[in-house]
Amino acid sequence: MLKRLACLTLFVCAPLCATPQVAPQVNNERLQQLASDPFWLSLGHYEKTRLSGWRSHVDDPKFFLAANGAHDPYAELSATLAAIRAPELDQQPHAQCTYPARTRWLRNQLQLRDLPVVDCKEFNEWFKDVSPDSTTLVFPAAYLNSPSSMFGHTLLRIDPASARSNNTTLLSYAINFGAYIEGSDNSILYAWKGLAGGYPGLFALVPYQEKLAEYRSLENRDLWEYRLNLSKEETERMVEHVWELKQIRFSYYFFDENCSYRLLELLQIARPGLQLTDQFELTAIPTDTVKAVKAAGLVDKIDYRPSRERELLSRAEPLDHTEQQWVLAVSADPAQLQSADYLAQPAERRALIQDAAYRLERYRANGQERDRNSAQRSFELLRAINQNPPPMLQIDQPGLPEEGHQSRTWQLGVGSHADKAFAEYGLRMAYHDLNDNAYGFPLGAQIEILQLKLRQYEGNDWKLQRLDLATIRSLTPRNELLKPWSWQVSGGLERVPGKHGEQTLVSHVNGGGGATWQLSDNLLGFALGTARLEHNNDFSAFVAPAAGFNTGVLWRNPLGNLSVEAKGDYFTNGEVRRSISLNQQWEVSRNLGLRLTAQRDFTHLGDAQNEVMLQLRWYHY
């Protein structure tokens, strides 16, 4: 009887008490289809190789589950599917916890109902802390005094649902991709290793307030915030993938595989179907990537945050010379606030002076260890401001950086050199010089990378005129409150006056430093001392050093930008080379310019030479 009852019980309970079934096999054809899906390729950061294979931009083997996962999307997908189906082990995090974006996608695509239930405590707590709801693209503008920042930068701010309603975006998190630097490389080594891919790149999720302080205060960079129209689900999908990239290394290159390119990849994961990276095969200049995001219809609203330096200069702008001297005095010694001479100033002018002095004191303290005397001066100035508050600071918004000219430039010129007619053909990969259309760029900034110029003289005589690897000039004007240095550096191949009235192709590296002054609203004057190393076949020594000067004016006029410069190089072997030049560009449109150049060169090796050229410049990406 008991035996029959036991059998009956087992029969009734069989559907409920059966052992777990083996997971159903997925059709191989279906797996092949998923492995070629654009979203899966985005999750693995794959791109087609020239031989029709695949390679991943990820350089870290621990990102992949398959041994050949970096080159085989199908193998990686199969390994991922097996891993997320595997039973949970105590020794290591489960694949569902390590790859939440992969897991979500495969579950939805394959309708997986047999996955083991896994407690991803660490990921869940992290995700809850970030609380992703919406996304903002942040563009810190170019900062020429830092080689890593001379093109600008981009990052993504992830806001919780309460950020907009409570105006608490400073408490949000930011997704940043940047070079990981061990040690303290100098600026030249940093620039070289950044160009050559000598640093690994890492994603990081950091408090937005920290990045805001770094860019606005320490680096004095304006910030532009582009609120994106990504949904909550799209933002969550992107943040899940950021978890998968935690401590995962990529190659980092300044020009293409940089901060902006990697963030475009994230946006393609947030909204499958976007094709933001396809147009950036050679270079990915941050302003160009912002243009791509806007062109894709992702931007809802743009907000502007001026830098601490811009706020200080804007507050001091209406002050005359005497009042700016008072700013320096009360900033250095707040006891001056009680002096009879200071109190004789009208109250409304004292309000401006005190506020400018406080901003100057905080500007000087940026990046410094906390100093008790500085803190006391700031407190005294704040107390004076509270007693006599200034009007709200109004700062005119500068031109949108992404609305400046395109970064790549084709050049076609005709001219005459030493009575020889020529045509000149040029290409500059990136991206702005002193005479280019200045809308969206600071006056006095020049960043040129990889510029090639070929000349065709009469008789079909072709010559390489110049090949610039890099030319950077930062002509930042000094004023009564701030005294920045101006500097320049360049290197490459160029033709210089040689023997018998000919031009000689030389290789060179040169740089210099000095000062720039604001002569009027749209007029800068500058003077720099320079040093040069040159390899010249007309010289007996393999390398000849020279000291010299570079001085001139830059005028933003109704037609465009005009520059007049005088240069001199005094070589140790006795050669003296001087030149005076004029450049005026007419801005036909934002991306089309007509430039007139005239130059006269003097050298001890031969007679003076004159050159005049009219050049058409077409800016495009």
Side-chain angles (χ1 to χ4, degrees), residues 288-596:
D288 292 322
T289 62
V290 173
K291 293 173 188 175
V293 170
K294 289 185 72 175
L298 288 170
V299 176
D300 268 352
K301 183 184 177 184
I302 303 175
D303 295 314
Y304 169 65
R305 293 180 184 266
S307 67
R308 291 278 181 88
E309 180 180 292
R310 189 181 292 270
E311 290 177 339
L312 166 61
L313 296 178
S314 296
R315 178 55 86 194
E317 185 177 8
L319 302 178
D320 61 26
H321 171 74
T322 300
E323 291 168 333
Q324 293 203 22
Q325 291 301 307
W326 273 117
V327 170
L328 295 172
V330 300
S331 174
D333 181 14
Q336 295 288 331
L337 295 169
Q338 306 305 321
S339 69
D341 289 340
Y342 179 72
L343 293 174
Q345 307 291 323
E348 64 273 12
R349 305 307 292 177
R350 281 188 281 120
L352 297 176
I353 293 171
Q354 292 160 181
D355 189 52
Y358 173 75
R359 294 177 186 275
L360 177 61
E361 182 61 31
R362 300 317 305 157
Y363 176 87
R364 289 171 171 168
N366 285 336
Q368 305 296 322
E369 294 185 4
R370 180 175 173 80
D371 178 73
R372 183 175 180 180
N373 293 329
S374 176
Q376 182 62 34
R377 290 194 296 270
S378 296
F379 175 77
E380 295 294 337
L381 290 167
L382 269 180
R383 184 162 58 181
I385 290 171
N386 289 333
Q387 294 172 354
N388 181 18
M392 182 177 295
L393 180 60
Q394 300 290 338
I395 298 180
D396 293 334
Q397 179 175 299
L400 290 167
E402 74 275 11
E403 292 185 357
H405 65 75
Q406 299 281 0
S407 60
R408 195 168 296 147
T409 311
W410 293 93
Q411 306 157 24
L412 174 62
V414 292
S416 172
H417 177 84
D419 297 326
K420 294 180 180 179
F422 65 83
E424 183 173 282
Y425 314 94
L427 170 63
R428 182 183 65 190
M429 296 302 294
Y431 82 128
H432 182 77
D433 69 19
L434 297 181
N435 296 97
D436 286 328
N437 190 331
Y439 184 89
F441 295 87
L443 188 65
Q446 176 170 332
I447 308 172
E448 294 185 290
I449 304 296
L450 295 178
Q451 179 168 225
L452 172 68
K453 292 186 177 183
L454 298 174
R455 282 192 179 178
Q456 181 184 15
Y457 284 92
E458 297 175 90
N460 202 31
D461 181 17
W462 288 82
K463 291 184 177 180
L464 172 63
Q465 186 65 20
R466 67 185 307 133
L467 175 61
D468 295 329
L469 300 179
T471 301
I472 304 171
R473 307 179 79 180
S474 175
L475 305 180
T476 307
R478 299 163 70 90
N479 54 66
E480 294 189 73
L481 302 184
L482 303 177
K483 309 292 184 183
W485 290 104
S486 294
W487 60 276
Q488 64 185 34
V489 62
S490 65
L493 304 174
E494 68 175 353
R495 290 200 177 270
V496 300
K499 297 178 180 178
H500 312 298
E502 297 294 329
Q503 286 190 312
T504 302
L505 186 66
V506 304
S507 56
H508 70 96
V509 175
N510 63 75
T516 301
W517 298 269
Q518 190 89 44
L519 305 179
S520 66
D521 288 344
N522 293 304
L523 183 64
L524 300 181
F526 60 92
L528 292 83
T530 61
R532 180 181 178 95
L533 289 176
E534 179 175 301
H535 169 67
N536 189 326
N537 290 331
D538 287 342
F539 296 163
S540 58
F542 182 76
V543 175
F549 67 89
N550 183 191
T551 185
V553 294
L554 178 62
W555 177 35
R556 173 66 176 165
N557 57 72
L559 295 176
N561 291 325
L562 169 71
S563 64
V564 178
E565 292 188 58
K567 300 179 183 179
D569 288 308
Y570 299 83
F571 289 86
T572 55
N573 60 11
E575 162 69 343
V576 176
R577 187 185 302 146
R578 292 164 294 171
S579 68
I580 183 169
S581 62
L582 178 148
N583 294 270
Q584 169 70 60
Q585 176 149 321
W586 288 269
E587 294 166 2
V588 179
S589 66
R590 186 187 71 168
N591 290 310
L592 193 65
L594 191 63
R595 182 176 299 185
L596 174 66

Side-chain angles (χ1 to χ4, degrees), residues 86-108:
E88 184 176 13
L89 300 176
D90 294 334
Q91 291 84 356
Q92 60 186 10
H94 194 272
Q96 292 184 38
C97 303
T98 305
Y99 302 99
R102 295 190 193 186
T103 302
R104 182 205 286 250
W105 186 71
L106 286 172
R107 180 189 287 118
N108 293 338

